Amino acid sequence: MIRAVVLFLILILLSLGVAWLADHPGHVTVFWLGYRIDSSFAALAALLVVLAAVSGILWRSWGAVKSAVHRTGAARAERRRNRGYRALTRGFVAVAAGDPDEARRQAERADTLLAEPPLTMLLSAQAAQLTGDQEAARKYFTAMLDRPDTAFLGLRGLINQALRDRDRHQALALARRAYRLRPKTPWLAAMLSELQSQAGLWGEAAIVLHRARRSGVIADGRRSEAVALIGQSEAAEAEGRDAETVELLRRAHKLAPDLVPGAARLASRLAARGDKRRARKILESAWAEFPHPDLARAFAALAPDEDPLARLQRTARLAKLRPDSGESHIAIAEAALAAELWGEARRHLRLALLAPNPGRRVFRLMARLEEEEHGDPVAARQWLSRAAEAEPDPAWVCRHCAASAPVWHPLCPSCEAFDGLIWASPARPAIAARASADVPAPLAPPAGMA
């Protein structure tokens, strides 16, 4: 309604203007290039209106032509981009399928069709890796470092190559650069801390794991941080820094109270400083969580010169914390054998034999009992024969290389995997006891870049 009124008013104004020009035609004279043109003002106004209309039509026509040309170019560019992305997709599929020739061909096609170096360089690098051309792959990854948006991808590829070449020094330097760019990347935090641990930089590894845990990068990194702190305590102990050693072990035990090696080591250090009461409480708390031979040995070492009967009584109090555990029965049996209480030793060994897989240690203790109580070598040999056929006793076994170690260490003595040692049967290292819960993934090149 408003638009109709406005249009009506405009028409009225135009009509009044035309009528006024008709009543006042005026006179206009134009001199141009030696010519004289005489005309009325109304005719000149009409001519200007016509010129304006023609100019408007020409301008709109030019805009329409220009827009059509632009749409045609955009459509052509879109088709080219779509072909480039299809080539890129096929190239990555070829990488996943292990087809180096197809991957290289699609990488070249994508590079021609797309003006996106990050993706095409990544595909070219992976295609080069498939063909075994590590130098070409290194060239592509290194070129990616020059662009802020591809630097992290380039560092990731170079880290993979350094790990494959077993160049941990180079991998550590690259991982540090990548960590400065993306400190909240889970696989990078785990990898950097492991490389630092393998280089003996336990303090740096503990800091990285602490930050990752506090920021939520690692969902449950308490155990990993505790392991790094134990490694740091070993270095402090080797240098004679006793107070720092105890403090680091305290922090590790607070983070992971069920980590058997940490509890045993802290208790031993406290006992050496005369704080046997606190050491006993730590061992008893750990035993209640997970009975373990290392804890039993550390508990016995609290009073190395005590009477065998007193040790038996003390061990029995420890075993009451987990009376159903086979380790509790074994600990009492060993103390009873030392005290020459044969009946008590036999009773607990029989209870230990009721376990599904009692292990060879129980059979060897039965052989010792027959030898010491009755002097019966025949019965002892029978028990030893059964020990040879029994399941291997649990031990510290690397969950990566399956190598056994006599004592626990933050790094596997064989393959140097961080927190790789778990308490398990050497015959079946994948079956971990509770001591191996929540262990981090092994150090390996991150997926998707192989």
Side-chain angles (χ1 to χ4, degrees):
M1 180 66 182
I2 296 176
R3 293 180 64 183
V5 172
V6 171
L7 181 61
F8 180 72
L9 292 174
I10 292 173
L11 291 174
I12 290 176
L13 291 175
L14 289 175
S15 300
L16 291 174
V18 171
W20 185 85
L21 288 174
D23 294 337
H24 305 81
H27 183 77
V28 177
T29 300
V30 178
F31 294 93
W32 186 58
L33 296 178
Y35 294 95
R36 174 178 173 171
I37 302 175
D38 295 317
S39 176
S40 66
F41 180 77
L44 180 62
L47 179 61
L48 292 175
V49 170
V50 171
L51 289 175
V54 171
S55 298
I57 293 172
L58 291 176
W59 179 257
R60 290 180 62 86
S61 300
W62 167 250
V65 171
K66 187 177 179 180
S67 177
V69 171
H70 176 74
R71 286 196 301 271
T72 302
R76 186 183 300 109
E78 181 67 18
R79 288 194 297 271
R80 182 184 180 88
R81 187 161 49 249
N82 289 337
R83 291 199 304 271
Y85 279 125
R86 282 197 297 270
L88 198 63
T89 302
R90 291 168 182 166
F92 281 118
V93 170
V95 169
D99 187 347
D101 294 333
E102 178 66 13
R104 185 174 60 254
R105 183 165 53 254
Q106 296 298 338
E108 293 173 354
R109 180 174 175 80
D111 188 49
T112 302
L113 294 171
L114 292 176
E116 297 190 28
L119 295 175
T120 56
M121 281 195 294
L122 178 60
L123 178 57
S124 298
Q126 292 191 333
Q129 285 182 322
L130 277 181
T131 60
D133 191 350
Q134 297 300 326
E135 283 303 318
R138 184 175 289 104
K139 181 189 69 174
Y140 285 117
F141 288 132
T142 303
M144 295 169 73
L145 302 182
D146 296 331
R147 297 172 57 95
D149 54 344
T150 60
F152 186 77
L153 284 175
L155 287 169
R156 184 171 180 171
L158 292 173
I159 290 171
N160 289 345
Q161 289 194 315
L163 290 176
R164 289 191 182 92
D165 296 339
R166 301 187 180 277
D167 188 350
R168 289 178 178 171
H169 179 76
Q170 178 69 6
L172 176 57
L174 293 167
R176 282 172 170 164
R177 289 181 61 183
Y179 184 75
R180 287 193 292 268
L181 293 176
R182 298 279 184 91
K184 293 186 177 181
T185 305
W187 67 263
L188 181 57
M191 175 181 291
L192 176 59
S193 61
E194 182 160 359
L195 288 168
Q196 290 168 330
S197 300
Q198 291 169 344
L201 304 173
W202 293 105
E204 294 184 16
I207 291 173
V208 169
L209 290 170
H210 177 75
R211 291 174 178 171
R213 178 178 63 83
R214 293 296 297 271
S215 62
V217 172
I218 299 178
D220 186 11
R222 299 178 68 86
R223 177 188 168 96
S224 297
E225 185 179 347
V227 171
L229 289 171
I230 294 175
Q232 191 176 359
S233 74
E234 289 184 350
E237 183 178 5
E239 296 176 3
R241 303 195 302 271
D242 183 67
E244 183 180 350
T245 300
V246 174
E247 178 58 28
L248 290 168
L249 289 172
R250 284 184 192 273
R251 289 168 56 191
H253 183 65
K254 184 177 180 180
L255 286 169
D258 60 343
L259 183 58
V260 167
R265 294 184 184 199
L266 177 58
S268 298
R269 297 300 301 176
L270 290 174
R273 301 179 72 181
D275 192 357
K276 294 187 177 182
R277 180 173 175 273
R278 176 61 179 162
R280 177 176 55 81
K281 287 186 176 181
I282 290 173
L283 292 174
E284 288 175 348
S285 177
W287 187 274
E289 286 291 322
F290 181 57
H292 193 278
D294 289 354
L295 297 175
R297 284 190 287 270
F299 192 78
L302 294 179
D305 300 326
E306 70 180 332
D307 180 81
L309 287 176
R311 175 166 294 179
L312 174 60
Q313 293 174 351
R314 206 161 54 88
T315 304
R317 288 195 296 270
L318 178 69
K320 283 183 180 179
L321 298 171
R322 286 293 296 271
D324 58 337
S325 170
E327 286 296 335
S328 294
H329 294 303
I330 293 173
I332 294 177
E334 288 181 330
L337 280 170
E340 298 184 354
L341 295 179
W342 315 122
E344 183 74 358
R346 188 176 298 275
R347 182 171 71 88
H348 283 281
L349 286 176
R350 285 176 175 171
L351 290 172
L353 285 169
L354 296 177
N357 296 303
R360 298 171 182 175
R361 187 161 45 123
V362 180
F363 293 106
R364 285 195 290 265
L365 287 173
M366 285 296 297
R368 175 184 166 188
L369 177 62
E370 295 293 347
E371 186 73 32
E372 294 183 4
E373 180 185 9
H374 301 299
D376 188 348
V378 176
R381 282 195 297 271
Q382 290 175 346
W383 283 110
L384 290 175
S385 177
R386 293 182 64 181
E389 299 173 355
E391 285 280 338
D393 292 317
W396 293 114
V397 182
C398 180
R399 60 192 175 91
H400 307 311
C401 68
S404 298
V407 295
W408 182 90
H409 191 269
L411 296 177
C412 170
S414 180
C415 68
E416 294 191 324
F418 177 77
D419 194 17
L421 295 179
I422 61 175
W423 188 249
S425 170
R428 294 180 293 176
I431 303 176
R434 181 166 178 178
S436 65
D438 299 327
V439 292
L443 177 62
M449 292 294 296

